[in-house]
Amino acid sequence: MGDRLCSFMISMFVVPASNPHALAPGTTLIEFQRRAGDVFAFQRVYRLVVAALEEQDLVHYSANGRRMLPTLFAPLPMPSLLDDDEDGDDEICGEECGYLDFSQEEAVCDNLVTMMRSIYLEPRREATAVLARGTRSRKNARILCKTNGITPTLMMILQQMNDMQVMRNAALILCNMLECATVVAETGLRAKMINILFKVFLRWSGVENPKHGSKLVSCQIGQALKLVASKASEVSSKWDVGQSCVADLTRISRNSPIPEAATLATEVLSMTQRY
């Protein structure tokens, strides 16, 4: 729904005729349940489905016909989103811009990083989603760059996780951090971590297993590597692209079933060979 991710489950149950909520034999009860992601996106999808069913007179809210769906408030005009190109300490950000202002609460980044380390999937999804959206603001991204443990945590997720939503969010967070940084070192990235990104890029490019490839994830990882390569002039003495990394990029550029990933690999390969 726009750029707001949401996953939900729809369950359907046949209601016994003896049940007081059964309007007729074979009545079907439909349950919508949000599992993760944006609440507003879920509500919008739910109401679209209900509205479509109502037009065909297929929706009944109770046995006595009373509507149980609350009436919507009149929609309010949405404020314009913050220009991501704005910079400076006077940058305005907050919930009215679509994401949190990390400067208003010192512990928010630390708490979100802790959630990212959870052994459970849902906290990781929620934390990475908040950070991915929040770091669209350069002010927030700079704050996150200074948060203890953020870069090792991101690398741990990228190296170990297989959940597409978490991976895409983690890669987007890394890209946002790199975009706001003057030098790569400000993000906490080290040579070993950057080399890991090449393996992650290869894994999600679909070269080794097309079924495990993802355009969203591979393109975000490729974009992160492209940002690193663009700043190679200040890290060239620290980042020596090994033969295995070059080989990974070559395989992606030639064999990836995802054209966008192959293009990014070619661009990164070209950029790394300049230094």
Side-chain angles (χ1 to χ4, degrees):
M1 189 61 64
D3 65 345
R4 297 172 181 258
L5 296 176
C6 177
S7 61
F8 56 92
M9 180 173 69
I10 300 177
S11 302
M12 304 179 70
F13 307 90
V14 176
V15 182
S18 58
N19 191 292
H21 295 288
L23 300 177
T27 296
T28 302
L29 175 67
I30 305 176
E31 177 188 60
F32 288 76
Q33 185 180 97
R34 183 180 72 94
R35 305 308 298 270
D38 189 82
V39 175
F40 298 103
F42 170 73
Q43 287 292 332
R44 186 175 177 186
V45 170
Y46 171 68
R47 291 183 182 280
L48 285 173
V49 173
V50 171
L53 293 174
E54 277 188 318
E55 290 180 356
Q56 303 179 53
D57 196 28
L58 295 175
V59 176
H60 300 276
Y61 296 95
S62 65
N64 58 18
R66 183 172 60 88
R67 281 185 62 94
M68 299 179 68
L69 191 66
T71 303
L72 281 173
F73 289 108
L76 298 174
M78 290 295 291
S80 59
L81 289 176
L82 181 68
D83 184 353
D84 291 336
D85 293 331
E86 293 180 7
D87 205 352
D89 294 334
D90 59 345
E91 179 182 328
I92 299 173
C93 59
E95 290 182 86
E96 67 275 11
C97 297
Y99 41 75
L100 300 177
D101 182 352
F102 295 169
S103 67
Q104 297 301 308
E105 173 59 57
E106 293 183 0
V108 65
C109 286
D110 290 327
N111 291 338
L112 289 169
V113 171
T114 300
M115 287 178 64
M116 288 169 64
R117 300 193 193 104
S118 172
I119 62 174
Y120 301 107
L121 179 59
E122 291 305 320
R124 289 186 172 188
R125 283 180 172 174
E126 296 289 348
T128 54
V130 171
L131 288 175
R133 181 172 294 276
T135 50
R136 295 193 306 180
S137 156
R138 290 180 179 271
K139 177 181 177 181
N140 281 344
R142 287 193 296 270
I143 293 173
L144 187 62
C145 285
K146 299 177 182 178
T147 302
N148 290 332
I150 177 59
T151 306
T153 301
L154 284 173
M155 297 310 301
M156 178 269 292
I157 287 176
L158 292 172
Q159 193 172 15
Q160 299 177 6
M161 290 289 293
N162 289 312
D163 182 77
M164 191 177 301
Q165 183 176 332
V166 175
M167 289 292 295
R168 184 259 184 184
N169 288 339
L172 181 56
I173 294 167
L174 184 59
C175 283
N176 291 340
M177 290 169 60
L178 285 165
E179 286 180 347
C180 82
T182 305
V183 293
V184 173
E186 290 179 0
T187 66
L189 275 176
R190 300 294 180 262
K192 184 178 180 180
M193 296 178 181
I194 296 173
N195 290 336
I196 290 174
L197 288 178
F198 285 101
K199 297 299 181 184
V200 178
F201 191 19
L202 178 66
R203 175 158 59 98
W204 287 91
S205 69
V207 171
E208 296 178 322
N209 188 339
K211 293 182 179 180
H212 294 167
S214 165
K215 176 181 175 180
L216 283 175
V217 177
S218 62
C219 286
Q220 286 294 346
I221 296 293
Q223 184 62 30
L225 285 170
K226 186 176 177 180
L227 287 168
V228 173
S230 69
K231 303 173 187 289
S233 59
E234 51 88 8
V235 295
S236 57
S237 61
K238 302 177 182 178
W239 179 28
D240 181 18
V241 181
Q243 291 300 314
S244 63
C245 297
V246 172
D248 290 341
L249 287 175
T250 302
R251 289 181 64 192
I252 297 170
S253 65
R254 294 177 178 175
N255 304 320
S256 176
I258 304 171
E260 295 82 357
T263 299
L264 280 167
T266 301
E267 292 175 354
V268 175
L269 186 60
S270 175
M271 295 171 75
T272 57
Q273 290 176 343
R274 297 175 190 172
Y275 303 99

